[in-house]
Amino acid sequence: MSLNFDALEQHLSTRSYIEGYTPSQADVHVYNLLTTPELSKYPHSARWYSHIKSYAAEHATLPGTSTAGQAFLQSASTPVPAAAADEDEVDLFADDDEEDAEAERLKAERVAAYNAKKANKPKAAAKSVVTLEVKPWDDETDMQALEDAVRSIEQEGLVWGASKLVAVGYGIKKLQITLVVEDELVSLDDLQEKVAEFDDYVQSSDIAAMQKL
């Protein structure tokens, strides 16, 4: 089996791809069957070949099937009729404007394909790193028990980090603890209310610092 170059050239004279409006497996199938077409003899095929070559890293993941591309194959003895001969083959552009118009169309199609791919990509959740300070009642408060109580708070989107005790005065130390939160899942006001419920240990809490990741 070989490629029907004339049928391919005729097809691509009014189209950007073998099938549809974005690169597909049909393009990959035909691309793999030929080397760079002669620009002087097959200008539309050469333009298409260069364009599909730019997607080489994505060939394996392009959508669709190779079915449409098989229409351009012919046996050694029996040529295949030109693909899509029953479709309208009217050239929409004058010779002087054809190259510029084709380039603009290719650009628009690539931008549309990129935007569609970008829109389907899942967005990373917005997160913040927070420094929470928790003050005890007095210097006799069990600070380890206080920290254990704070860390016992668990919920989706909350990850506790490093902590340390910071001197306040008169022998009293406060707990300073770092945490990472997903902004849409964790309310810092609600979190402070939960911390305040440990009133055997906790006098108050404050957000000492907050930074978006």
Side-chain angles (χ1 to χ4, degrees):
M1 302 293 286
S2 61
L3 195 66
N4 188 329
F5 285 95
D6 292 333
L8 179 64
E9 180 67 9
Q10 182 181 6
H11 180 79
L12 292 173
S13 66
T14 57
R15 297 168 180 80
S16 298
Y17 302 101
I18 300 300
E19 181 181 47
Y21 300 98
T22 58
S24 69
Q25 289 302 317
D27 295 282
V28 175
H29 181 71
V30 177
Y31 173 91
N32 289 332
L33 292 174
L34 75 161
T35 54
T36 307
E38 296 180 25
L39 181 60
S40 58
K41 190 174 181 181
Y42 302 107
H44 300 294
S45 299
R47 178 265 305 161
W48 166 86
Y49 183 89
S50 240
H51 182 51
I52 298 306
K53 185 178 181 180
S54 70
Y55 283 89
E58 302 174 48
H59 279 185
T61 59
L62 290 176
T65 67
S66 63
T67 303
Q70 294 172 4
F72 298 96
L73 296 178
Q74 62 182 7
S75 65
S77 59
T78 307
V80 175
D86 58 336
E87 295 182 14
D88 187 7
E89 299 291 346
V90 177
D91 187 356
L92 300 179
F93 307 102
D95 291 342
D96 292 342
D97 299 330
E98 181 177 356
E99 185 174 346
D100 289 343
E102 183 67 15
E104 287 300 318
R105 184 170 66 173
L106 285 173
K107 181 179 178 181
E109 289 173 351
R110 292 196 71 174
V111 169
Y114 171 79
N115 288 338
K117 184 176 180 180
K118 186 176 180 181
N120 292 330
K121 188 177 180 179
K123 296 181 180 179
K127 295 181 180 181
S128 299
V129 58
V130 179
T131 300
L132 178 68
E133 292 184 343
V134 185
K135 297 177 182 177
W137 288 107
D138 51 40
D139 61 343
E140 295 184 357
T141 300
D142 186 338
M143 295 304 293
Q144 184 59 56
L146 184 152
E147 180 175 348
D148 292 343
V150 171
R151 288 184 180 276
S152 71
I153 300 173
E154 296 181 352
Q155 69 177 94
E156 185 179 2
L158 168 63
V159 178
W160 295 106
S163 66
K164 64 181 179 178
L165 297 179
V166 179
V168 177
Y170 304 101
I172 301 174
K173 295 182 179 181
K174 62 184 176 182
L175 172 68
Q176 190 175 85
I177 186 168
T178 302
L179 55 145
V180 176
V181 298
E182 289 189 27
D183 297 342
E184 293 186 358
L185 298 178
V186 180
S187 163
L188 293 179
D189 289 338
D190 292 345
L191 179 61
Q192 286 184 268
E193 288 181 7
K194 292 179 180 179
V195 170
E197 292 176 3
F198 302 114
D199 52 9
D200 287 344
Y201 312 111
V202 177
Q203 179 193 96
S204 64
S205 66
D206 294 294
I207 302 299
M210 180 176 177
Q211 182 178 352
K212 297 291 184 182
L213 291 179

